[in-house]
mmCIF file of all heavy atoms in Angstrom:
data_model
loop_
_atom_site.group_PDB
_atom_site.id
_atom_site.type_symbol
_atom_site.label_atom_id
_atom_site.label_comp_id
_atom_site.label_asym_id
_atom_site.label_seq_id
_atom_site.Cartn_x
_atom_site.Cartn_y
_atom_site.Cartn_z
ATOM 1 N N MET A 577 5.376 5.304 15.639
ATOM 2 C CA MET A 577 4.146 5.039 14.667
ATOM 3 C C MET A 577 3.173 4.224 15.564
ATOM 4 O O MET A 577 3.687 3.234 16.151
ATOM 5 C CB MET A 577 4.613 4.376 13.506
ATOM 6 C CG MET A 577 3.549 4.182 12.436
ATOM 7 S SD MET A 577 4.076 3.368 10.987
ATOM 8 C CE MET A 577 5.504 4.249 10.475
ATOM 9 N N ASN A 578 1.975 4.547 15.573
ATOM 10 C CA ASN A 578 1.069 3.744 16.414
ATOM 11 C C ASN A 578 0.647 2.494 15.762
ATOM 12 O O ASN A 578 0.825 2.256 14.534
ATOM 13 C CB ASN A 578 -0.138 4.637 16.835
ATOM 14 C CG ASN A 578 -1.009 4.969 15.625
ATOM 15 O OD1 ASN A 578 -1.131 4.243 14.674
ATOM 16 N ND2 ASN A 578 -1.758 6.095 15.782
ATOM 17 N N GLU A 579 0.146 1.577 16.452
ATOM 18 C CA GLU A 579 -0.263 0.301 16.016
ATOM 19 C C GLU A 579 -1.287 0.293 14.772
ATOM 20 O O GLU A 579 -1.188 -0.406 13.867
ATOM 21 C CB GLU A 579 -0.803 -0.653 17.028
ATOM 22 C CG GLU A 579 -0.781 -2.111 16.755
ATOM 23 C CD GLU A 579 0.605 -2.716 16.609
ATOM 24 O OE1 GLU A 579 1.532 -2.157 17.149
ATOM 25 O OE2 GLU A 579 0.669 -3.673 15.822
ATOM 26 N N TYR A 580 -2.264 1.143 14.943
ATOM 27 C CA TYR A 580 -3.256 1.266 13.804
ATOM 28 C C TYR A 580 -2.648 1.658 12.558
ATOM 29 O O TYR A 580 -2.912 1.151 11.487
ATOM 30 C CB TYR A 580 -4.398 2.286 14.298
ATOM 31 C CG TYR A 580 -5.395 2.485 13.175
ATOM 32 C CD1 TYR A 580 -6.362 1.526 13.039
ATOM 33 C CD2 TYR A 580 -5.434 3.621 12.431
ATOM 34 C CE1 TYR A 580 -7.275 1.667 12.044
ATOM 35 C CE2 TYR A 580 -6.356 3.818 11.466
ATOM 36 C CZ TYR A 580 -7.380 2.790 11.258
ATOM 37 O OH TYR A 580 -8.322 2.990 10.285
ATOM 38 N N ARG A 581 -1.763 2.660 12.549
ATOM 39 C CA ARG A 581 -1.149 3.179 11.391
ATOM 40 C C ARG A 581 -0.227 2.052 10.770
ATOM 41 O O ARG A 581 -0.174 1.789 9.514
ATOM 42 C CB ARG A 581 -0.312 4.416 11.712
ATOM 43 C CG ARG A 581 0.386 4.919 10.462
ATOM 44 C CD ARG A 581 0.773 6.273 10.760
ATOM 45 N NE ARG A 581 1.556 6.937 9.653
ATOM 46 C CZ ARG A 581 1.073 7.499 8.584
ATOM 47 N NH1 ARG A 581 -0.271 7.542 8.448
ATOM 48 N NH2 ARG A 581 1.818 7.975 7.670
ATOM 49 N N LYS A 582 0.402 1.249 11.616
ATOM 50 C CA LYS A 582 1.254 0.071 11.115
ATOM 51 C C LYS A 582 0.319 -0.898 10.370
ATOM 52 O O LYS A 582 0.752 -1.364 9.314
ATOM 53 C CB LYS A 582 1.946 -0.560 12.209
ATOM 54 C CG LYS A 582 3.161 0.220 12.772
ATOM 55 C CD LYS A 582 3.746 -0.581 13.922
ATOM 56 C CE LYS A 582 4.897 0.216 14.523
ATOM 57 N NZ LYS A 582 5.504 -0.479 15.736
ATOM 58 N N LEU A 583 -0.773 -1.215 10.904
ATOM 59 C CA LEU A 583 -1.759 -2.101 10.373
ATOM 60 C C LEU A 583 -2.221 -1.610 9.008
ATOM 61 O O LEU A 583 -2.346 -2.356 8.094
ATOM 62 C CB LEU A 583 -2.910 -2.414 11.279
ATOM 63 C CG LEU A 583 -2.541 -3.270 12.488
ATOM 64 C CD1 LEU A 583 -3.756 -3.202 13.452
ATOM 65 C CD2 LEU A 583 -2.107 -4.588 12.173
ATOM 66 N N CYS A 584 -2.569 -0.261 8.898
ATOM 67 C CA CYS A 584 -2.999 0.253 7.655
ATOM 68 C C CYS A 584 -1.959 0.229 6.572
ATOM 69 O O CYS A 584 -2.244 -0.142 5.453
ATOM 70 C CB CYS A 584 -3.407 1.717 7.875
ATOM 71 S SG CYS A 584 -4.929 1.922 8.851
ATOM 72 N N ILE A 585 -0.725 0.459 6.968
ATOM 73 C CA ILE A 585 0.374 0.420 5.970
ATOM 74 C C ILE A 585 0.506 -1.025 5.491
ATOM 75 O O ILE A 585 0.804 -1.274 4.379
ATOM 76 C CB ILE A 585 1.699 0.999 6.583
ATOM 77 C CG1 ILE A 585 1.439 2.546 6.798
ATOM 78 C CG2 ILE A 585 2.913 0.804 5.757
ATOM 79 C CD1 ILE A 585 2.529 3.221 7.551
ATOM 80 N N GLU A 586 0.604 -1.912 6.453
ATOM 81 C CA GLU A 586 0.713 -3.315 6.078
ATOM 82 C C GLU A 586 -0.311 -3.746 5.148
ATOM 83 O O GLU A 586 -0.140 -4.530 4.168
ATOM 84 C CB GLU A 586 0.746 -4.237 7.257
ATOM 85 C CG GLU A 586 1.091 -5.644 6.927
ATOM 86 C CD GLU A 586 2.295 -5.944 6.093
ATOM 87 O OE1 GLU A 586 3.298 -5.219 6.275
ATOM 88 O OE2 GLU A 586 2.168 -6.830 5.184
ATOM 89 N N ARG A 587 -1.630 -3.314 5.425
ATOM 90 C CA ARG A 587 -2.797 -3.682 4.576
ATOM 91 C C ARG A 587 -2.529 -3.070 3.116
ATOM 92 O O ARG A 587 -2.841 -3.720 2.059
ATOM 93 C CB ARG A 587 -4.100 -3.223 5.121
ATOM 94 C CG ARG A 587 -5.288 -3.482 4.337
ATOM 95 C CD ARG A 587 -5.584 -4.960 4.204
ATOM 96 N NE ARG A 587 -6.756 -5.103 3.442
ATOM 97 C CZ ARG A 587 -7.012 -6.075 2.610
ATOM 98 N NH1 ARG A 587 -6.093 -7.015 2.423
ATOM 99 N NH2 ARG A 587 -8.132 -6.129 1.914
ATOM 100 N N ALA A 588 -2.079 -1.859 3.076
ATOM 101 C CA ALA A 588 -1.783 -1.206 1.809
ATOM 102 C C ALA A 588 -0.780 -1.956 0.955
ATOM 103 O O ALA A 588 -0.840 -2.157 -0.196
ATOM 104 C CB ALA A 588 -1.313 0.196 1.988
ATOM 105 N N ARG A 589 0.258 -2.453 1.661
ATOM 106 C CA ARG A 589 1.286 -3.269 1.024
ATOM 107 C C ARG A 589 0.749 -4.593 0.475
ATOM 108 O O ARG A 589 1.065 -4.987 -0.554
ATOM 109 C CB ARG A 589 2.450 -3.564 2.038
ATOM 110 C CG ARG A 589 3.289 -2.321 2.321
ATOM 111 C CD ARG A 589 4.379 -2.656 3.226
ATOM 112 N NE ARG A 589 5.360 -1.552 3.391
ATOM 113 C CZ ARG A 589 5.947 -1.305 4.483
ATOM 114 N NH1 ARG A 589 5.931 -2.042 5.441
ATOM 115 N NH2 ARG A 589 6.720 -0.189 4.595
ATOM 116 N N GLU A 590 -0.090 -5.267 1.287
ATOM 117 C CA GLU A 590 -0.757 -6.400 0.804
ATOM 118 C C GLU A 590 -1.540 -6.192 -0.432
ATOM 119 O O GLU A 590 -1.564 -6.965 -1.399
ATOM 120 C CB GLU A 590 -1.644 -7.021 1.900
ATOM 121 C CG GLU A 590 -0.965 -7.597 3.133
ATOM 122 C CD GLU A 590 -1.854 -7.920 4.232
ATOM 123 O OE1 GLU A 590 -3.073 -7.938 3.998
ATOM 124 O OE2 GLU A 590 -1.411 -8.303 5.281
ATOM 125 N N LEU A 591 -2.339 -5.113 -0.420
ATOM 126 C CA LEU A 591 -3.178 -4.878 -1.574
ATOM 127 C C LEU A 591 -2.271 -4.479 -2.778
ATOM 128 O O LEU A 591 -2.694 -4.908 -3.940
ATOM 129 C CB LEU A 591 -4.125 -3.693 -1.239
ATOM 130 C CG LEU A 591 -5.270 -4.001 -0.330
ATOM 131 C CD1 LEU A 591 -5.941 -2.707 0.153
ATOM 132 C CD2 LEU A 591 -6.144 -5.032 -0.818
ATOM 133 N N ALA A 592 -1.191 -3.810 -2.609
ATOM 134 C CA ALA A 592 -0.249 -3.487 -3.608
ATOM 135 C C ALA A 592 0.362 -4.702 -4.301
ATOM 136 O O ALA A 592 0.766 -4.666 -5.503
ATOM 137 C CB ALA A 592 0.829 -2.524 -3.220
ATOM 138 N N ARG A 593 0.503 -5.807 -3.512
ATOM 139 C CA ARG A 593 1.168 -7.033 -4.017
ATOM 140 C C ARG A 593 0.122 -7.979 -4.672
ATOM 141 O O ARG A 593 0.521 -8.974 -5.281
ATOM 142 C CB ARG A 593 1.771 -7.783 -2.862
ATOM 143 C CG ARG A 593 3.083 -7.097 -2.396
ATOM 144 C CD ARG A 593 3.868 -7.953 -1.424
ATOM 145 N NE ARG A 593 3.077 -8.261 -0.213
ATOM 146 C CZ ARG A 593 3.337 -7.579 0.991
ATOM 147 N NH1 ARG A 593 4.155 -6.771 1.115
ATOM 148 N NH2 ARG A 593 2.549 -8.001 2.027
ATOM 149 N N LYS A 594 -1.123 -7.657 -4.735
ATOM 150 C CA LYS A 594 -2.110 -8.560 -5.293
ATOM 151 C C LYS A 594 -1.875 -8.747 -6.852
ATOM 152 O O LYS A 594 -1.411 -7.759 -7.434
ATOM 153 C CB LYS A 594 -3.540 -7.981 -5.096
ATOM 154 C CG LYS A 594 -4.011 -8.003 -3.607
ATOM 155 C CD LYS A 594 -4.307 -9.363 -3.186
ATOM 156 C CE LYS A 594 -4.931 -9.360 -1.788
ATOM 157 N NZ LYS A 594 -5.088 -10.593 -1.250
ATOM 158 N N PRO A 595 -2.202 -9.866 -7.342
ATOM 159 C CA PRO A 595 -2.112 -10.062 -8.767
ATOM 160 C C PRO A 595 -2.887 -9.206 -9.609
ATOM 161 O O PRO A 595 -2.538 -8.813 -10.684
ATOM 162 C CB PRO A 595 -2.332 -11.505 -9.066
ATOM 163 C CG PRO A 595 -3.119 -11.977 -7.814
ATOM 164 C CD PRO A 595 -2.745 -11.027 -6.686
ATOM 165 N N TYR A 596 -4.062 -8.773 -9.111
ATOM 166 C CA TYR A 596 -4.930 -7.808 -9.838
ATOM 167 C C TYR A 596 -4.610 -6.475 -9.266
ATOM 168 O O TYR A 596 -4.334 -6.295 -8.109
ATOM 169 C CB TYR A 596 -6.391 -8.104 -9.569
ATOM 170 C CG TYR A 596 -6.878 -8.321 -8.183
ATOM 171 C CD1 TYR A 596 -7.275 -7.202 -7.365
ATOM 172 C CD2 TYR A 596 -6.841 -9.553 -7.593
ATOM 173 C CE1 TYR A 596 -7.679 -7.338 -6.136
ATOM 174 C CE2 TYR A 596 -7.208 -9.697 -6.147
ATOM 175 C CZ TYR A 596 -7.609 -8.585 -5.551
ATOM 176 O OH TYR A 596 -7.972 -8.663 -4.213
ATOM 177 N N LYS A 597 -4.401 -5.537 -10.072
ATOM 178 C CA LYS A 597 -3.931 -4.232 -9.705
ATOM 179 C C LYS A 597 -5.125 -3.253 -9.331
ATOM 180 O O LYS A 597 -6.039 -3.098 -10.068
ATOM 181 C CB LYS A 597 -3.118 -3.576 -10.840
ATOM 182 C CG LYS A 597 -1.874 -4.355 -11.211
ATOM 183 C CD LYS A 597 -0.990 -4.571 -10.069
ATOM 184 C CE LYS A 597 0.187 -5.417 -10.430
ATOM 185 N NZ LYS A 597 0.974 -5.934 -9.307
ATOM 186 N N LEU A 598 -4.941 -2.745 -8.117
ATOM 187 C CA LEU A 598 -5.844 -1.774 -7.676
ATOM 188 C C LEU A 598 -5.259 -0.409 -7.804
ATOM 189 O O LEU A 598 -4.068 -0.290 -7.814
ATOM 190 C CB LEU A 598 -6.226 -1.971 -6.102
ATOM 191 C CG LEU A 598 -6.874 -3.293 -5.775
ATOM 192 C CD1 LEU A 598 -6.937 -3.432 -4.191
ATOM 193 C CD2 LEU A 598 -8.275 -3.312 -6.331
ATOM 194 N N THR A 599 -6.049 0.631 -8.040
ATOM 195 C CA THR A 599 -5.444 2.005 -8.064
ATOM 196 C C THR A 599 -5.119 2.441 -6.714
ATOM 197 O O THR A 599 -5.545 1.954 -5.692
ATOM 198 C CB THR A 599 -6.491 2.981 -8.793
ATOM 199 O OG1 THR A 599 -7.616 3.099 -7.887
ATOM 200 C CG2 THR A 599 -6.943 2.435 -10.176
ATOM 201 N N ALA A 600 -4.353 3.564 -6.773
ATOM 202 C CA ALA A 600 -3.977 4.094 -5.474
ATOM 203 C C ALA A 600 -5.210 4.699 -4.754
ATOM 204 O O ALA A 600 -5.322 4.566 -3.551
ATOM 205 C CB ALA A 600 -2.927 5.266 -5.664
ATOM 206 N N ALA A 601 -6.163 5.214 -5.429
ATOM 207 C CA ALA A 601 -7.376 5.732 -4.886
ATOM 208 C C ALA A 601 -8.200 4.590 -4.204
ATOM 209 O O ALA A 601 -8.730 4.776 -3.120
ATOM 210 C CB ALA A 601 -8.263 6.381 -5.980
ATOM 211 N N GLN A 602 -8.244 3.363 -4.835
ATOM 212 C CA GLN A 602 -8.923 2.223 -4.307
ATOM 213 C C GLN A 602 -8.305 1.814 -3.064
ATOM 214 O O GLN A 602 -8.960 1.455 -2.014
ATOM 215 C CB GLN A 602 -9.019 1.129 -5.283
ATOM 216 C CG GLN A 602 -9.902 1.337 -6.460
ATOM 217 C CD GLN A 602 -9.742 0.392 -7.604
ATOM 218 O OE1 GLN A 602 -8.688 -0.086 -7.890
ATOM 219 N NE2 GLN A 602 -10.847 0.041 -8.189
ATOM 220 N N ILE A 603 -6.948 1.638 -3.006
ATOM 221 C CA ILE A 603 -6.254 1.293 -1.889
ATOM 222 C C ILE A 603 -6.329 2.301 -0.681
ATOM 223 O O ILE A 603 -6.637 1.907 0.431
ATOM 224 C CB ILE A 603 -4.761 0.944 -2.165
ATOM 225 C CG1 ILE A 603 -4.624 -0.206 -3.107
ATOM 226 C CG2 ILE A 603 -3.933 0.683 -0.828
ATOM 227 C CD1 ILE A 603 -3.187 -0.469 -3.603
ATOM 228 N N ALA A 604 -6.331 3.533 -1.055
ATOM 229 C CA ALA A 604 -6.446 4.571 -0.024
ATOM 230 C C ALA A 604 -7.830 4.551 0.644
ATOM 231 O O ALA A 604 -7.917 4.636 1.830
ATOM 232 C CB ALA A 604 -6.272 5.981 -0.701
ATOM 233 N N GLU A 605 -8.852 4.263 -0.174
ATOM 234 C CA GLU A 605 -10.117 4.237 0.302
ATOM 235 C C GLU A 605 -10.300 3.020 1.273
ATOM 236 O O GLU A 605 -10.984 3.058 2.318
ATOM 237 C CB GLU A 605 -11.101 4.055 -0.881
ATOM 238 C CG GLU A 605 -12.568 3.980 -0.494
ATOM 239 C CD GLU A 605 -13.557 3.789 -1.699
ATOM 240 O OE1 GLU A 605 -13.381 4.541 -2.696
ATOM 241 O OE2 GLU A 605 -14.328 2.840 -1.701
ATOM 242 N N ARG A 606 -9.699 1.899 0.925
ATOM 243 C CA ARG A 606 -9.803 0.707 1.760
ATOM 244 C C ARG A 606 -8.940 0.777 3.058
ATOM 245 O O ARG A 606 -9.242 -0.005 3.957
ATOM 246 C CB ARG A 606 -9.480 -0.515 0.977
ATOM 247 C CG ARG A 606 -10.443 -0.744 -0.140
ATOM 248 C CD ARG A 606 -10.133 -1.909 -0.972
ATOM 249 N NE ARG A 606 -11.266 -2.190 -1.904
ATOM 250 C CZ ARG A 606 -11.118 -2.557 -3.170
ATOM 251 N NH1 ARG A 606 -9.873 -2.730 -3.680
ATOM 252 N NH2 ARG A 606 -12.116 -2.739 -3.876
ATOM 253 N N THR A 607 -7.911 1.606 3.046
ATOM 254 C CA THR A 607 -6.986 1.580 4.186
ATOM 255 C C THR A 607 -7.037 2.842 5.045
ATOM 256 O O THR A 607 -6.590 2.885 6.176
ATOM 257 C CB THR A 607 -5.580 1.419 3.716
ATOM 258 O OG1 THR A 607 -5.193 2.466 2.906
ATOM 259 C CG2 THR A 607 -5.386 0.055 2.999
ATOM 260 N N GLY A 608 -7.533 3.896 4.446
ATOM 261 C CA GLY A 608 -7.625 5.139 5.210
ATOM 262 C C GLY A 608 -6.357 5.891 5.113
ATOM 263 O O GLY A 608 -6.214 6.824 5.847
ATOM 264 N N ILE A 609 -5.406 5.545 4.288
ATOM 265 C CA ILE A 609 -4.134 6.208 4.075
ATOM 266 C C ILE A 609 -4.345 7.136 2.920
ATOM 267 O O ILE A 609 -5.051 6.894 2.032
ATOM 268 C CB ILE A 609 -2.965 5.200 3.804
ATOM 269 C CG1 ILE A 609 -2.851 4.210 4.930
ATOM 270 C CG2 ILE A 609 -1.739 5.984 3.526
ATOM 271 C CD1 ILE A 609 -1.879 3.083 4.671
ATOM 272 N N CYS A 610 -3.573 8.394 2.990
ATOM 273 C CA CYS A 610 -3.797 9.288 1.899
ATOM 274 C C CYS A 610 -3.238 8.727 0.622
ATOM 275 O O CYS A 610 -2.366 7.857 0.550
ATOM 276 C CB CYS A 610 -3.056 10.577 2.187
ATOM 277 S SG CYS A 610 -1.282 10.615 2.169
ATOM 278 N N GLU A 611 -3.771 9.095 -0.543
ATOM 279 C CA GLU A 611 -3.511 8.593 -1.797
ATOM 280 C C GLU A 611 -2.003 8.758 -2.191
ATOM 281 O O GLU A 611 -1.430 7.926 -2.816
ATOM 282 C CB GLU A 611 -4.426 9.241 -2.766
ATOM 283 C CG GLU A 611 -4.429 8.534 -4.165
ATOM 284 C CD GLU A 611 -5.501 9.008 -5.087
ATOM 285 O OE1 GLU A 611 -6.522 9.562 -4.658
ATOM 286 O OE2 GLU A 611 -5.290 8.997 -6.339
ATOM 287 N N HIS A 612 -1.486 9.876 -1.799
ATOM 288 C CA HIS A 612 -0.027 10.169 -2.121
ATOM 289 C C HIS A 612 0.825 9.189 -1.501
ATOM 290 O O HIS A 612 1.736 8.527 -2.207
ATOM 291 C CB HIS A 612 0.274 11.594 -1.687
ATOM 292 C CG HIS A 612 1.766 11.922 -1.817
ATOM 293 N ND1 HIS A 612 2.394 12.147 -3.003
ATOM 294 C CD2 HIS A 612 2.690 11.960 -0.837
ATOM 295 C CE1 HIS A 612 3.695 12.314 -2.737
ATOM 296 N NE2 HIS A 612 3.854 12.196 -1.542
ATOM 297 N N TYR A 613 0.572 8.806 -0.269
ATOM 298 C CA TYR A 613 1.426 7.835 0.453
ATOM 299 C C TYR A 613 1.249 6.447 -0.176
ATOM 300 O O TYR A 613 2.172 5.691 -0.199
ATOM 301 C CB TYR A 613 1.170 7.905 1.972
ATOM 302 C CG TYR A 613 2.165 7.130 2.717
ATOM 303 C CD1 TYR A 613 3.512 7.404 2.662
ATOM 304 C CD2 TYR A 613 1.694 6.155 3.649
ATOM 305 C CE1 TYR A 613 4.434 6.698 3.423
ATOM 306 C CE2 TYR A 613 2.624 5.334 4.373
ATOM 307 C CZ TYR A 613 3.931 5.709 4.265
ATOM 308 O OH TYR A 613 4.918 4.931 4.978
ATOM 309 N N VAL A 614 0.039 6.164 -0.536
ATOM 310 C CA VAL A 614 -0.303 4.846 -1.090
ATOM 311 C C VAL A 614 0.459 4.656 -2.438
ATOM 312 O O VAL A 614 0.978 3.582 -2.749
ATOM 313 C CB VAL A 614 -1.765 4.689 -1.406
ATOM 314 C CG1 VAL A 614 -2.036 3.318 -2.183
ATOM 315 C CG2 VAL A 614 -2.578 4.586 -0.098
ATOM 316 N N ARG A 615 0.658 5.764 -3.277
ATOM 317 C CA ARG A 615 1.391 5.753 -4.522
ATOM 318 C C ARG A 615 2.931 5.320 -4.147
ATOM 319 O O ARG A 615 3.482 4.582 -4.867
ATOM 320 C CB ARG A 615 1.330 7.023 -5.246
ATOM 321 C CG ARG A 615 0.090 7.221 -5.983
ATOM 322 C CD ARG A 615 0.142 8.451 -6.998
ATOM 323 N NE ARG A 615 -1.098 8.873 -7.191
ATOM 324 C CZ ARG A 615 -1.663 9.997 -6.741
ATOM 325 N NH1 ARG A 615 -0.946 10.859 -5.946
ATOM 326 N NH2 ARG A 615 -2.888 10.373 -7.014
ATOM 327 N N GLN A 616 3.424 5.956 -3.078
ATOM 328 C CA GLN A 616 4.756 5.576 -2.678
ATOM 329 C C GLN A 616 4.906 4.191 -2.261
ATOM 330 O O GLN A 616 5.895 3.411 -2.672
ATOM 331 C CB GLN A 616 5.194 6.506 -1.521
ATOM 332 C CG GLN A 616 5.408 7.947 -1.911
ATOM 333 C CD GLN A 616 5.708 8.800 -0.711
ATOM 334 O OE1 GLN A 616 5.436 8.482 0.379
ATOM 335 N NE2 GLN A 616 6.274 9.970 -1.028
ATOM 336 N N ILE A 617 3.867 3.613 -1.579
ATOM 337 C CA ILE A 617 4.009 2.216 -1.183
ATOM 338 C C ILE A 617 3.881 1.371 -2.401
ATOM 339 O O ILE A 617 4.638 0.299 -2.523
ATOM 340 C CB ILE A 617 2.762 1.894 -0.196
ATOM 341 C CG1 ILE A 617 2.926 2.594 1.145
ATOM 342 C CG2 ILE A 617 2.574 0.359 -0.026
ATOM 343 C CD1 ILE A 617 1.793 2.607 2.077
ATOM 344 N N ILE A 618 2.989 1.633 -3.328
ATOM 345 C CA ILE A 618 2.888 0.796 -4.553
ATOM 346 C C ILE A 618 4.187 0.837 -5.334
ATOM 347 O O ILE A 618 4.677 -0.219 -5.731
ATOM 348 C CB ILE A 618 1.794 1.348 -5.511
ATOM 349 C CG1 ILE A 618 0.435 1.107 -4.852
ATOM 350 C CG2 ILE A 618 1.862 0.777 -6.839
ATOM 351 C CD1 ILE A 618 -0.801 1.732 -5.496
ATOM 352 N N ARG A 619 4.787 1.918 -5.436
ATOM 353 C CA ARG A 619 6.057 2.085 -6.109
ATOM 354 C C ARG A 619 7.157 1.173 -5.457
ATOM 355 O O ARG A 619 7.899 0.433 -6.065
ATOM 356 C CB ARG A 619 6.571 3.495 -6.258
ATOM 357 C CG ARG A 619 7.701 3.621 -7.133
ATOM 358 C CD ARG A 619 8.378 5.089 -7.166
ATOM 359 N NE ARG A 619 9.043 5.258 -5.906
ATOM 360 C CZ ARG A 619 8.718 6.242 -5.015
ATOM 361 N NH1 ARG A 619 7.791 7.148 -5.179
ATOM 362 N NH2 ARG A 619 9.482 6.368 -3.876
ATOM 363 N N MET A 620 7.235 1.228 -4.114
ATOM 364 C CA MET A 620 8.194 0.489 -3.393
ATOM 365 C C MET A 620 7.911 -1.013 -3.619
ATOM 366 O O MET A 620 8.944 -1.769 -3.724
ATOM 367 C CB MET A 620 8.195 0.860 -1.886
ATOM 368 C CG MET A 620 8.722 2.191 -1.604
ATOM 369 S SD MET A 620 8.976 2.619 0.077
ATOM 370 C CE MET A 620 7.289 2.184 0.843
ATOM 371 N N GLU A 621 6.713 -1.389 -3.502
ATOM 372 C CA GLU A 621 6.409 -2.877 -3.638
ATOM 373 C C GLU A 621 6.743 -3.338 -5.076
ATOM 374 O O GLU A 621 7.224 -4.486 -5.342
ATOM 375 C CB GLU A 621 4.909 -3.072 -3.286
ATOM 376 C CG GLU A 621 4.552 -2.958 -1.843
ATOM 377 C CD GLU A 621 5.366 -3.868 -0.976
ATOM 378 O OE1 GLU A 621 5.636 -5.061 -1.308
ATOM 379 O OE2 GLU A 621 5.792 -3.395 0.159
ATOM 380 N N ARG A 622 6.516 -2.587 -6.071
ATOM 381 C CA ARG A 622 6.826 -2.930 -7.402
ATOM 382 C C ARG A 622 8.295 -2.980 -7.620
ATOM 383 O O ARG A 622 8.799 -3.962 -8.332
ATOM 384 C CB ARG A 622 6.174 -1.942 -8.464
ATOM 385 C CG ARG A 622 4.743 -2.159 -8.574
ATOM 386 C CD ARG A 622 4.179 -1.213 -9.554
ATOM 387 N NE ARG A 622 2.679 -1.359 -9.612
ATOM 388 C CZ ARG A 622 1.814 -0.543 -10.132
ATOM 389 N NH1 ARG A 622 2.211 0.568 -10.724
ATOM 390 N NH2 ARG A 622 0.570 -0.777 -10.135
ATOM 391 N N GLU A 623 9.074 -2.108 -7.046
ATOM 392 C CA GLU A 623 10.503 -2.145 -7.141
ATOM 393 C C GLU A 623 10.979 -3.367 -6.422
ATOM 394 O O GLU A 623 11.963 -4.106 -6.939
ATOM 395 C CB GLU A 623 11.125 -0.924 -6.580
ATOM 396 C CG GLU A 623 11.013 0.397 -7.276
ATOM 397 C CD GLU A 623 11.494 1.605 -6.598
ATOM 398 O OE1 GLU A 623 11.905 1.452 -5.454
ATOM 399 O OE2 GLU A 623 11.357 2.698 -7.231
ATOM 400 N N ARG A 624 10.497 -3.712 -5.224
ATOM 401 C CA ARG A 624 10.793 -4.909 -4.568
ATOM 402 C C ARG A 624 10.654 -6.174 -5.327
ATOM 403 O O ARG A 624 11.371 -7.121 -5.284
ATOM 404 C CB ARG A 624 10.049 -4.916 -3.172
ATOM 405 C CG ARG A 624 10.756 -5.709 -2.102
ATOM 406 C CD ARG A 624 9.982 -5.643 -0.828
ATOM 407 N NE ARG A 624 10.236 -4.335 -0.058
ATOM 408 C CZ ARG A 624 9.565 -3.944 0.926
ATOM 409 N NH1 ARG A 624 8.422 -4.460 1.237
ATOM 410 N NH2 ARG A 624 9.984 -2.840 1.572
ATOM 411 N N ALA A 625 9.426 -6.264 -5.953
ATOM 412 C CA ALA A 625 9.045 -7.441 -6.828
ATOM 413 C C ALA A 625 10.012 -7.533 -8.075
ATOM 414 O O ALA A 625 10.355 -8.603 -8.450
ATOM 415 C CB ALA A 625 7.599 -7.249 -7.215
ATOM 416 N N ALA A 626 10.442 -6.460 -8.613
ATOM 417 C CA ALA A 626 11.328 -6.490 -9.773
ATOM 418 C C ALA A 626 12.766 -6.853 -9.375
ATOM 419 O O ALA A 626 13.413 -7.559 -10.139
ATOM 420 C CB ALA A 626 11.408 -5.145 -10.325
ATOM 421 N N GLN A 627 13.059 -6.682 -8.095
ATOM 422 C CA GLN A 627 14.406 -7.133 -7.659
ATOM 423 C C GLN A 627 14.467 -8.608 -7.385
ATOM 424 O O GLN A 627 15.541 -9.203 -7.294
ATOM 425 C CB GLN A 627 14.938 -6.366 -6.419
ATOM 426 C CG GLN A 627 15.128 -4.946 -6.668
ATOM 427 C CD GLN A 627 15.523 -4.088 -5.402
ATOM 428 O OE1 GLN A 627 15.413 -4.709 -4.318
ATOM 429 N NE2 GLN A 627 15.796 -2.898 -5.605
ATOM 430 N N GLY A 628 13.371 -9.183 -7.213
ATOM 431 C CA GLY A 628 13.347 -10.565 -7.000
ATOM 432 C C GLY A 628 12.744 -10.928 -5.699
ATOM 433 O O GLY A 628 12.600 -11.726 -5.013
#
């Protein structure tokens, strides 16, 4: 995975963890990642938060 893609994914994770919730479309627009993949990132971050 190239460095730019890693940075985009990390930015999407940061946005998914914000206290105010952004939609997958908003995060996709801000990071350049496809909306489908952003939904998966959001789901993973919410599961991680629920585990503690």
Side-chain angles (χ1 to χ4, degrees):
M577 187 181 311
N578 67 29
E579 196 63 31
Y580 178 74
R581 185 162 171 83
K582 286 180 185 178
L583 291 172
C584 289
I585 291 170
E586 183 55 38
R587 178 69 178 140
R589 286 181 176 151
E590 289 173 10
L591 291 171
R593 288 190 296 257
K594 293 286 185 187
Y596 53 89
K597 299 301 178 194
L598 297 172
T599 66
Q602 290 170 319
I603 294 174
E605 181 180 308
R606 291 179 174 141
T607 61
I609 300 172
C610 74
E611 193 173 332
H612 171 76
Y613 191 56
V614 170
R615 282 192 203 105
Q616 292 176 339
I617 291 171
I618 291 170
R619 189 186 72 236
M620 289 187 313
E621 290 301 322
R622 288 183 182 163
E623 288 172 358
R624 205 178 274 164
Q627 291 176 354

